[in-house]
Every structure is written in structure tokens, then in C-alpha cells.
């Protein structure tokens, strides 16, 4: 993790780097600043999620469910919940926190057990891009959609693909896969 407070002065910018968020020298794999007061910084390392309410001067470790490993991204929902894309070898899923990142539970347990590489929120729907290079099981690759109560693996040619990134532009979702970029109409 690197932190600067003078980023608008491009001729004299200074960084504090590396910021050792977990005390063991691990690099951050994901970071997010939550809305609200106080502003809370979430940072993930290969095996932990940590939170800071003082601009990154110190961090406290969150409680994670067993089997949680590398967090690749965070998403804050309008209702204040926070989601984390979790990948652990050929396993993983989506974690959820309703207390600003202090404790986490699985949102995808029982629906899929695949490494989650990316998360995207469109309207009231959540999309999870999943897959690992060392696992070609089509149930562990592709895009899963969560409608607030159920997960569904999307079809239409994306199933079985390792999905690394999801983005939305207008009414289209773009999925970066190991082999190409796929496009679908977005319907939240």
C-alpha cells in the first residue's frame, strides 16, 4: 500500500511506501475507502482484511470465515454492506460485511465454490467473475449473478471461461476472460 496526501501537486508529490498494513510486510491486494463518518479504509493482504479509521496510520484486523484467502477487490453497496472477491487456489467466493468491514461471512456458500476474481454491481444485481487457470471445471468458471437471494451461473457462451474483470458501460457488461473480451446486455 502506498499513501500520499499531496497528489494534486504533480511536481512535488511524495508517497509513503510501503505501508505495512498487517505488520508482516505483506503487500496490499485490494483497497477501498468506505463512505460515511469516519472515513474507513479497508485493505487486504494475501490472508487478511484490515481496517483503519485514521487515514492508514494504524490498522485493525477483521474477522474472516475459515478458508478465506486472497481478496482481489472490494465493492461497497448503497445499503452500506461491503463485498469482497475471495480466491483461495481453486476455491473461494464472495464475502459480505454489514459492519463496515469488521467481520465477514460468506455470501456465496452453497451456491458456488470458485475463486472470485472480480465483482460488479448493476442496479440491484451483483455479478461475480470467477475461475482459476489450474481448474477447468466449467462450474468454477464464468459469471455468477446474485439477485439478492439466489446465485445463477450465466450461460450464453461465457460459462467455462475464466473471468478476470467485469465492467459496465451504458447497457453493456464487458467481461475480460483469459482468451478475449465478451460483451452482454446489462439488465440489473
Amino acid at each position: 500500500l502506498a499513501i500520499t496526501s499531496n497528489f494534486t501537486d504533480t511536481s512535488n508529490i511524495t508517497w509513503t511506501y510501503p505501508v505495512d498494513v498487517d505488520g508482516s510486510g505483506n503487500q496490499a491486494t485490494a483497497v477501498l475507502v468506505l463512505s460515511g463518518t469516519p472515513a474507513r479504509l479497508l485493505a487486504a493482504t494475501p490472508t487478511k482484511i484490515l481496517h483503519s479509521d485514521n487515514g492508514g496510520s494504524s490498522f485493525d484486523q477483521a474477522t474472516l470465515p475459515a478458508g478465506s484467502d486472497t481478496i482481489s477487490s472490494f465493492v461497497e453497496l448503497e445499503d452500506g454492506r461491503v463485498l469482497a472477491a475471495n480466491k483461495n487456489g481453486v476455491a473461494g467466493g464472495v464475502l459480505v460485511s454489514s459492519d463496515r468491514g469488521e467481520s465477514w461471512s460468506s455470501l456465496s456458500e452453497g451456491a458456488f465454490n470458485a475463486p472470485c476474481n472480480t465483482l460488479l454491481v448493476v442496479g440491484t444485481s451483483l455479478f461475480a467473475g470467477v475461475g482459476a487457470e489450474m481448474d477447468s471445471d466449467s462450474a468454477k468458471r464464468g459469471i455468477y449473478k446474485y439477485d439478492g437471494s439466489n446465485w445463477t451461473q450465466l450461460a450464453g457462451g461465457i460459462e467455462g471461461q475464466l473471468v478476470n474483470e467485469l465492467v459496465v458501460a451504458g447497457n453493456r457488461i464487458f467481461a475480460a476472460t483469459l482468451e478475449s473480451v465478451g460483451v452482454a446486455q446489462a439488465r440489473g
Side-chain angles (χ1 to χ4, degrees):
L1 182 66
I3 300 174
T4 185
S5 59
N6 63 341
F7 57 92
T8 57
D9 182 5
T10 57
S11 64
N12 196 24
I13 194 167
T14 56
W15 290 90
T16 303
Y17 176 82
V19 176
D20 187 1
V21 297
D22 70 354
S24 61
N26 288 318
Q27 295 298 313
T29 58
V31 64
L32 175 69
V33 176
L34 299 177
S35 59
T37 304
R40 174 165 279 187
L41 173 66
L42 295 180
T45 67
T47 58
K48 300 174 185 169
I49 295 177
L50 301 108
H51 51 87
S52 173
D53 291 334
N54 57 18
S57 295
S58 63
F59 288 84
D60 294 313
Q61 187 172 335
T63 304
L64 297 176
S68 301
D69 202 355
T70 302
I71 303 301
S72 56
S73 66
F74 292 111
V75 173
E76 183 177 18
L77 301 178
E78 288 182 8
D79 66 7
R81 291 179 300 155
V82 185
L83 307 175
N86 175 39
K87 49 187 178 177
N88 184 358
V90 295
V94 179
L95 302 179
V96 60
S97 173
S98 56
D99 58 8
R100 295 178 44 87
E102 291 191 29
S103 61
W104 297 82
S105 60
S106 176
L107 184 64
S108 58
E109 188 173 353
F112 67 88
N113 184 19
C116 187
N117 302 315
T118 184
L119 296 169
L120 174 68
V121 176
V122 179
T124 58
S125 295
L126 168 66
F127 298 88
V130 303
E133 281 190 58
M134 58 253 180
D135 192 343
S136 61
D137 181 350
S138 63
K140 291 188 172 191
R141 285 182 165 212
I143 300 172
Y144 281 83
K145 179 182 177 184
Y146 185 68
D147 64 9
S149 56
N150 297 301
W151 287 96
T152 305
Q153 186 178 26
L154 301 185
I158 199 71
E159 66 278 13
Q161 297 294 316
L162 189 163
V163 177
N164 290 312
E165 186 69 42
L166 294 169
V167 295
V168 65
N171 68 344
R172 296 175 137 191
I173 293 176
F174 295 85
T177 71
L178 196 57
E179 298 169 7
S180 64
V181 174
V183 182
Q185 296 296 103
R187 294 186 183 104

